């Protein structure tokens, strides 16, 4: 999909048309200039410009977000920052490669290693051994200035809450991709058939990186369900499912609002995960990307962006 075809750009265009706001779409859709009379307002990427620069920077930094949430008493998954060789002079000696290995020792169930900044699940690794940790670190540092390490936890549910100030405009869970065996086809064949073509190469490459070849080629028994990915990531095949009103939705919204208030985010998407029956913040995003949800519920996505733009234009 071309950047200019993003539902975000489409939604902003429609809002401006409905409210007699002049609009210019620049930089292949990444920069949007809106004018009403003498006033000019900018949107960039998936950010409509409601958040302060400080809140945006904190939300974009996974380790800083976790630190601030901990200080604010908001339950969250801890993330420890490690900077690459070019920036290591700015980090205390305790944040050395030895500190990474100590984390691995402290969490024998494994670690999740990811870029400290960025979204879409790129370069995210689950590791349980020293060689795997070293490979993950090398890959991330080759492309990013820093990484964050968190303990691997068994996530029972992951829910994304999109907030405009304290109002939850969208709440949906992320259902991981799975297949059911038929006793005839291999796990890889079932995964290929079940994955939409636009995501197929990415999802299959991810599966191949996590599983041994013998496991991929094995015939899945009739009726056996197999989850294909340990991550609840929409760009890697997870499916957005709206969360209906009720206890789960209320609990996720309460936790998300506390996180947004702690950071000062006015418009953002907050990922809330259930671990051992309790809800924790996984990540906070100041840019609200809803492409996957927009393919299923475009009217809901437009309404969410328009609510945020109402705050911008009063």
């Amino acid at each position: 999909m071309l950047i200019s075809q993003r539902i975000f750009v489409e939604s902003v265009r429609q809002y401006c048309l409905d409210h007699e706001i002049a609009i210019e779409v620049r930089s292949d859709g990444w920069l949007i200039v809106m004018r009403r009379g003498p006033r000019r307002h900018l949107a960039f990427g998936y950010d409509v410009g409601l958040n302060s620069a400080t809140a945006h920077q904190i939300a974009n930094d996974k380790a800083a977000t976790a630190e601030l949430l901990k200080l604010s008493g908001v339950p969250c998954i801890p993330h420890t920052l490690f900077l690459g060789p070019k920036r290591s002079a700015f980090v205390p000696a305790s944040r050395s490669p030895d500190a990474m290995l100590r984390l691995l020792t402290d969490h024998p169930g494994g670690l999740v290693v990811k870029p400290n900044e960025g979204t879409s699940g790129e370069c995210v690794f689950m590791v349980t051994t020293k060689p795997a940790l070293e490979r993950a670190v090398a890959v991330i540092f080759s492309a990013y200035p820093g990484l964050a390490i968190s303990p691997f936890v068994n996530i029972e549910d992951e829910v994304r809450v999109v907030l405009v100030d304290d109002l939850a405009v969208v709440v949906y869970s992320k259902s991981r991709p799975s297949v059911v065996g038929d006793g005839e086809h291999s796990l890889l064949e079932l995964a290929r058939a079940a994955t939409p073509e636009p995501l197929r190469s990415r999802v299959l490459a991810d599966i191949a990186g996590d599983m041994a070849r013998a496991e991929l080629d094995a015939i899945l028994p009739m009726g056996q369900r197999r989850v294909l990915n340990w991550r609840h990531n929409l760009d890697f095949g997870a499916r957005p499912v709206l969360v209906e009103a009720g206890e789960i939705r209320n609990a996720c919204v309460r936790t998300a609002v506390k996180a947004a208030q702690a950071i000062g985010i006015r418009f953002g998407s907050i990922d809330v995960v259930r671990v051992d029956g309790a809800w924790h913040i996984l990540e906070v995003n100041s840019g609200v990307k809803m492409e996957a949800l927009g393919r299923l519920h475009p009217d809901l996505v437009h309404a969410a962006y328009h609510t945020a733009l109402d705050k911008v234009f009063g």
Side-chain angles (χ1 to χ4, degrees):
M1 178 177 61
L2 296 175
I3 296 301
S4 59
Q5 294 176 325
R6 292 180 302 148
I7 194 169
F8 177 82
V9 178
E10 176 188 343
S11 188
V12 174
R13 283 186 190 274
Q14 187 60 54
Y15 183 88
C16 291
L17 178 63
D18 293 343
H19 293 79
E20 298 182 344
I21 299 170
I23 179 173
E24 294 180 65
V25 179
R26 301 282 184 165
S27 300
D28 295 326
W30 283 115
L31 174 63
I32 301 176
V33 182
M34 294 167 274
R35 289 186 176 88
R36 173 186 276 173
R39 181 185 177 190
R40 186 183 74 161
H41 186 79
L42 306 177
F44 185 79
Y46 289 94
D47 193 333
V48 301
L50 269 180
N51 300 317
S52 71
T54 301
H56 169 77
Q57 287 290 93
I58 292 173
N60 197 44
D61 186 304
K62 296 177 178 62
T65 293
E67 287 284 347
L68 185 52
L69 294 179
K70 181 180 178 181
L71 286 172
S72 304
V74 181
C76 65
I77 303 299
H79 286 70
T80 303
L81 172 67
F82 293 88
L83 294 183
K86 292 183 179 180
R87 296 190 178 181
S88 59
F90 301 100
V91 187
S94 60
R95 297 288 174 86
S96 66
D98 289 340
M100 296 184 188
L101 294 176
R102 285 195 293 273
L103 285 175
L104 189 60
T105 300
D106 292 342
H107 301 283
L111 301 173
V112 176
V113 188
K114 65 182 79 169
N116 189 49
E117 300 180 4
T119 58
S120 300
E122 298 290 349
C123 291
V124 177
F125 302 92
M126 197 276 278
V127 303
T128 57
T129 65
K130 178 181 177 181
L133 174 61
E134 292 173 341
R135 286 194 297 271
V137 169
V139 169
I140 295 173
F141 279 161
S142 70
Y144 297 89
L147 60 80
I149 296 180
S150 61
F152 175 77
V153 294
N154 181 27
I155 295 176
E156 299 154 9
D157 294 289
E158 181 169 329
V159 174
R160 173 160 288 182
V161 180
V162 178
L163 295 173
V164 178
D165 289 329
D166 293 343
L167 174 66
V169 291
V170 179
V171 182
Y172 62 90
S173 65
K174 303 177 185 180
S175 177
R176 290 182 294 171
S178 63
V179 294
V180 178
D182 59 5
E184 298 181 5
H185 295 89
S186 69
L187 177 61
L188 182 59
E189 290 171 330
L190 292 171
R192 183 180 292 113
T195 304
E197 195 279 330
L199 297 175
R200 191 168 295 154
S201 61
R202 170 178 282 196
V203 172
L204 295 182
D206 200 51
I207 295 172
D210 288 340
M211 300 182 188
R213 186 70 209 190
E215 189 176 9
L216 293 170
D217 291 338
I219 303 299
L220 200 62
M222 174 71 73
Q224 184 178 112
R225 181 176 178 270
R226 180 67 183 272
V227 175
L228 299 177
N229 199 316
W230 60 273
R231 291 182 287 172
H232 297 70
N233 192 287
L234 299 177
D235 289 326
F236 286 86
R239 183 171 56 91
V241 180
L242 296 179
V243 178
E244 302 296 334
E247 182 180 347
I248 290 177
R249 190 182 194 279
N250 293 340
C252 291
V253 170
R254 282 196 302 269
T255 305
V257 167
K258 290 178 182 177
Q261 290 175 343
I263 295 173
I265 287 291
R266 296 191 60 198
F267 181 45
S269 58
I270 293 88
D271 290 335
V272 191
V273 296
R274 181 158 55 183
V275 179
D276 294 330
W279 293 101
H280 300 71
I281 299 297
L282 178 63
E283 291 183 7
V284 176
N285 304 285
S286 63
V288 181
K289 179 181 178 183
M290 292 188 282
E291 302 300 326
L293 184 66
R295 289 190 284 271
L296 299 174
H297 304 283
D299 292 344
L300 185 60
V301 171
H302 287 309
Y305 285 133
H306 290 185
T307 300
L309 288 166
D310 280 343
K311 295 285 185 176
V312 171
F313 290 100

